[in-house]
Amino acid sequence: MTADPVHDLKERHLQCCEGAVHPLEIAAELEAAGIGPGTAGRYRHADVFSLAEELYARVPRRPAALRTPPPESPWRRRAPYACLVAVLFALPSLGLWAFRQSGGPGRGPGVGLAAAAALALVAAATSGREHPAAERLGYALGVAALLALVVAGGGLDAAMAAALASGLGAAEWCARWFRHIGWGHLDAAHSRAEFRERMRPVLPVAVGLYLSALSAITFAALALASALRRAVGGGVAAAVAGTDGTAWATQECTGLLLLLVLLLWRCGRTRDALAALLCCLSAVGTAAALTRSPGPGVPAALLWGCGSTAALLLPYAWAVLLRPESHRAVRQPVLPALPDDGS
Amino acid sequence: MRIALLTESAFPTARSVEGGWCDRLTRGLAEHEFELYALGAGRRDPVPEPLPARLASMRHSGPGGGSTGWLPGCLTGGAALHGLRRRRALAAYRELVGALVEPGAAEGFGPALYALAEAGRGGGLPALLRSGAALGVIEAAWRTPGARGTVGPGSVGEPLVRDALVAVDLLERCLRPLSAPWYGSDGLAGADICHAVGGGLAVLPGLLAKRFHGVPMIVTEHSLHLRERARGYRTAPYRWPVRALLLAFFRLLAREAYQQAGLITPGSAYDQRWQIHCGANPASIRVVYEGVDSEDRPAADPEPTVPALAWFGPIEPYGGLATMLRAFAELRDEAAGEAPEGAPAPVLRVHGEAPAGAASYAEHCRGLARQLFPEDAEAVVFEPDAPSPGAAREQSTIVVFSGANGARPRQLAEAMLSGRPVVATDVGAAREVVGPTGLLVPAEDPRALAAACSALLRDQERRSRLGNAGRLRAQELYAVEPAVAAFRSLYVELVSCWPGRQPATPEVPAVQQPFERTADYWVAARGPVPVEAGAG
């Protein structure tokens, strides 16, 4: 026997010893390798535990030798999904528009309700499977109610309403981009303060991106609609310019609110998202009651309701989404499964 | 007696309970009333109807703890902790994390655990343990100088925000039994004994019941939970600080449980070293082998015409399959040299599954088999399904366990019950289980394994003698009846050592069963004589 019997053992289990967090982990490994109380005597130890403690003391910790690259971001691929969401949300409003253009028999509330139900279905389908059913239902109803006010309730011009609905695709893209950035910073930041510092500019950038995308979509929709209407070009720019500022402001405010709700929802703050939807709807209702003009009052009520809610929600969401706990992985981390106890 | 069985597994379906340990215990001890508390189950898992295995009731840890209806609380998330109780809970959590992280603070684990449970009595604890405040506690604990699990800045051992997030979530998951709705008088407070099966998190409700209601606890570990955790975490996808935190949690939890438990029953004498090392009192340890319920099956039919070795074990490093293949090659060479012309060459049947992550090793073993036996593809048969040693016995002449990590006692006992001779590596519990009725060889020694197998293959008389002896030994020691009898006396021993709880209202004649309470209970109820808790 050599002067240092443990040396061979150390070489054989070097990787385990370097990555061990406690001597018991080495003891478990040694036992798996067939070293029991009898064999430990060969290494001049009374039992496996003291042998493991010697190994733990002799080998410097080097966790760098360990595997586990940071987990891949599940939010990396977002464009296909965002396109799908845009198309799905645009379909009901386009269908409604086409139905009204063709002058179908039922111009009453039935068609609008059907469109709202379709929107609720789409919202429920795209809300993500990981949330409880009751919350998904609330979310779908809230989003559908807000969109139905715009699309079917005559809140906005049909082209703008369709643009707003399909703008949810852009919102989806922005929310996923936000999560993706947050995911990266979770693996880079060393403290919560540093994480907050890193995340601070991300939400304004996401909002800016979304609002520009929404404006572009609206512009395109308006141009397309006027081109369709007049069949011959020339009046496109005029038609776009002819849309008044209130409509644009309503469009942007409603869109911003939907983006914030979606962000909160995707970041796992489902109750905040539901509360925001509820606030917004009641604010719209209050504004409608205050303005008291049935026909053209809807855009104004939407503008006031959504605008005030969004103005309150934006700083709140900014503060809340800076926190690391808003950036949890969708799938909860699980304890490693142990081998079945053999019943 | 009312016995609360605590288990970490998910809600056992009727199928998994029937014939399992729970079934064996409840059917064997018909005089007691058993309730099953399943930690891993949620509100949605269905309660099997009628309850399997003579259970009086089954409860899960979701809100409501037993009912399956829709609860209004699931939308609002239950109560939240506020004010003083929140501060108390956070302080206890800080203590707890400190005990896990700071070296030398391990003594504070138990008190912190109980304080946390006390503060979170009214609900709202899970939400607090997932909040940013908990995140801050873990971050601060990791930043204290000398904290365990953090290795100097700049290295990959330094905790990141993601590590804190994962650690918070995992700790919350581990501490969820603290807020289980079980601790009322219709639950654990009314039980006479808590029986935690499997160790691990299952001891948590037992610890609380002992602390708050004085219910004695017995801990059964068929396979040592802490060792399995330490092994399982080597391949877990967590970074260093999270692993250190969680292993410390399980270590200290096991320590607290071993110290508080009235009796501890490991599955083999081999495992009790771990329990003693982790703080168990040797006087409270009783080895109870897990019963195998096929002891009345007849011995296997006559041996197959082609001599066959049946190998059992996981196909993974330290599983011993490579050793077995090399030994088998040696055996075939030897047999080819000696055997008369025309005698069939032995075959090896591999019964085993590759666990997740060991697929490359399984491929390596298949390659090794092809390389060792290029001319005879039938020499090594990888059985597609991996039945237990009891089921695959007809096709085997000898049963071999060659793993360096040691076969489980239950598997060895099943193999012995089949009446075939057993060759096992001399590691783990093999020596005490097989005893003189099988051959033991050193681990990772193909030559010794080949010699043992060929000695058995050559000697028909020795094979049948060892097989019969093993069968008799298993029937005597590892059947269900000895295990059940052991628990019958252990329950009585535990309760008799325990002073009765102060009955809340002894004058109210509840539905009483004769001998429901021990004598000390009534003595304690009647007189003001103070009785030391845990005396005896």
Side-chain angles (χ1 to χ4, degrees), chain B residues 260-432:
Chain B
Q260 297 295 329
L263 287 172
I264 305 164
T265 63
S268 65
Y270 182 75
D271 284 348
Q272 74 182 17
R273 297 169 306 117
W274 275 73
Q275 297 176 331
I276 294 173
H277 181 76
C278 293
N281 176 10
S284 65
I285 295 181
R286 314 275 189 279
V287 176
V288 179
Y289 293 103
E290 194 183 358
V292 179
D293 50 1
S294 50
E295 81 272 9
D296 48 352
R297 277 169 65 176
D301 290 340
E303 298 175 343
T305 48
V306 180
L309 308 181
W311 180 90
F312 289 93
I315 303 181
E316 61 180 4
Y318 298 134
L321 184 53
T323 315
M324 183 68 238
L325 288 172
R326 288 181 207 288
F328 186 59
E330 209 157 300
L331 184 75
R332 294 258 297 192
D333 288 348
E334 198 180 316
E338 299 179 348
E341 208 51 42
V347 296
L348 173 67
R349 293 181 191 282
V350 176
H351 301 269
E353 282 168 349
S360 63
Y361 181 78
E363 204 38 57
H364 162 75
C365 283
R366 282 168 198 271
L368 185 65
R370 279 193 295 274
Q371 184 192 339
L372 286 174
F373 311 102
E375 75 287 349
D376 187 2
E378 296 296 306
V380 179
V381 185
F382 283 85
E383 299 286 343
D385 51 343
S388 66
R393 55 201 197 154
E394 305 297 344
Q395 305 167 336
S396 58
T397 315
I398 304 174
V399 182
V400 186
F401 298 89
S402 69
N405 47 13
R408 303 171 64 145
R410 190 183 154 83
Q411 254 196 330
L412 286 169
E414 274 184 12
M416 287 159 70
L417 271 177
S418 70
R420 301 287 191 225
V422 173
V423 176
T425 42
D426 184 14
V427 291
R431 181 174 287 243
E432 62 183 293

Side-chain angles (χ1 to χ4, degrees), chain B residues 80-426:
Chain B
L81 287 172
H82 291 296
L84 184 62
R85 284 184 43 232
R86 180 187 156 90
R87 279 199 299 280
R88 262 195 209 139
L90 269 183
Y93 188 67
R94 197 169 297 120
E95 284 287 308
L96 187 80
V97 173
L100 300 182
V101 165
E102 287 162 28
E107 290 307 318
F109 178 81
L113 191 69
Y114 301 131
L116 190 62
E118 183 84 58
R121 268 278 176 86
L125 199 57
L128 177 70
L129 296 188
R130 280 169 65 85
S131 67
L135 204 61
V137 167
I138 287 208
E139 209 177 278
W142 269 338
R143 216 170 298 139
T144 50
R148 187 187 294 136
T150 58
V151 183
S155 81
V156 284
E158 193 183 8
L160 302 174
V161 177
R162 177 177 306 284
D163 297 330
L165 207 55
V166 170
V168 158
D169 284 357
L170 287 176
L171 260 190
E172 187 269 329
R173 166 80 190 67
C174 291
L175 291 172
R176 214 170 281 171
L178 293 190
S179 35
W182 293 340
Y183 303 105
S185 56
D186 61 333
L188 289 177
D192 293 298
I193 288 183
C194 283
H195 187 167
V197 183
L201 296 179
V203 301
L204 258 179
L207 283 176
L208 296 195
K210 172 160 190 291
R211 171 79 176 194
F212 296 126
H213 307 294
V215 183
M217 177 168 65
I218 177 167
V219 176
T220 293
E221 283 186 303
H222 293 141
S223 66
L224 207 95
H225 183 269
L226 200 56
R227 184 173 57 205
E228 304 289 338
R229 280 273 172 227
R231 258 185 226 171
Y233 274 54
R234 300 213 51 76
T235 51
Y238 310 130
R239 290 178 73 250
W240 169 284
V242 181
R243 230 152 40 92
L245 189 82
L246 280 177
L247 274 183
F249 177 80
F250 282 110
R251 199 178 62 246
L252 296 186
L253 182 65
R255 203 176 89 140
E256 179 73 16
Y258 291 152
Q259 285 170 355
Q260 297 295 329
L263 287 172
I264 305 164
T265 63
S268 65
Y270 182 75
D271 284 348
Q272 74 182 17
R273 297 169 306 117
W274 275 73
Q275 297 176 331
I276 294 173
H277 181 76
C278 293
N281 176 10
S284 65
I285 295 181
R286 314 275 189 279
V287 176
V288 179
Y289 293 103
E290 194 183 358
V292 179
D293 50 1
S294 50
E295 81 272 9
D296 48 352
R297 277 169 65 176
D301 290 340
E303 298 175 343
T305 48
V306 180
L309 308 181
W311 180 90
F312 289 93
I315 303 181
E316 61 180 4
Y318 298 134
L321 184 53
T323 315
M324 183 68 238
L325 288 172
R326 288 181 207 288
F328 186 59
E330 209 157 300
L331 184 75
R332 294 258 297 192
D333 288 348
E334 198 180 316
E338 299 179 348
E341 208 51 42
V347 296
L348 173 67
R349 293 181 191 282
V350 176
H351 301 269
E353 282 168 349
S360 63
Y361 181 78
E363 204 38 57
H364 162 75
C365 283
R366 282 168 198 271
L368 185 65
R370 279 193 295 274
Q371 184 192 339
L372 286 174
F373 311 102
E375 75 287 349
D376 187 2
E378 296 296 306
V380 179
V381 185
F382 283 85
E383 299 286 343
D385 51 343
S388 66
R393 55 201 197 154
E394 305 297 344
Q395 305 167 336
S396 58
T397 315
I398 304 174
V399 182
V400 186
F401 298 89
S402 69
N405 47 13
R408 303 171 64 145
R410 190 183 154 83
Q411 254 196 330
L412 286 169
E414 274 184 12
M416 287 159 70
L417 271 177
S418 70
R420 301 287 191 225
V422 173
V423 176
T425 42
D426 184 14

Side-chain angles (χ1 to χ4, degrees), chain A residues 81 85 89 116 119-147 168-169 171-172 175 257-278 281, chain B residues 75:
Chain A
Y81 187 74
V85 168
F89 270 105
L119 283 171
L121 270 182
V122 170
T126 55
S127 62
R129 224 174 272 167
E130 65 275 7
H131 303 292
E135 290 183 350
R136 284 177 73 178
L137 182 70
Y139 172 78
L141 287 181
V143 169
L146 195 56
L147 276 178
L168 272 174
E172 188 69 51
L257 187 93
L258 283 171
L259 171 76
L260 293 177
V261 165
L262 188 65
L263 269 173
L264 288 170
W265 181 262
R266 286 277 174 250
C267 287
R269 307 199 71 96
T270 49
R271 282 181 211 138
D272 288 348
L274 291 180
L277 278 174
L278 202 61
L281 287 174
Chain B
L75 192 61

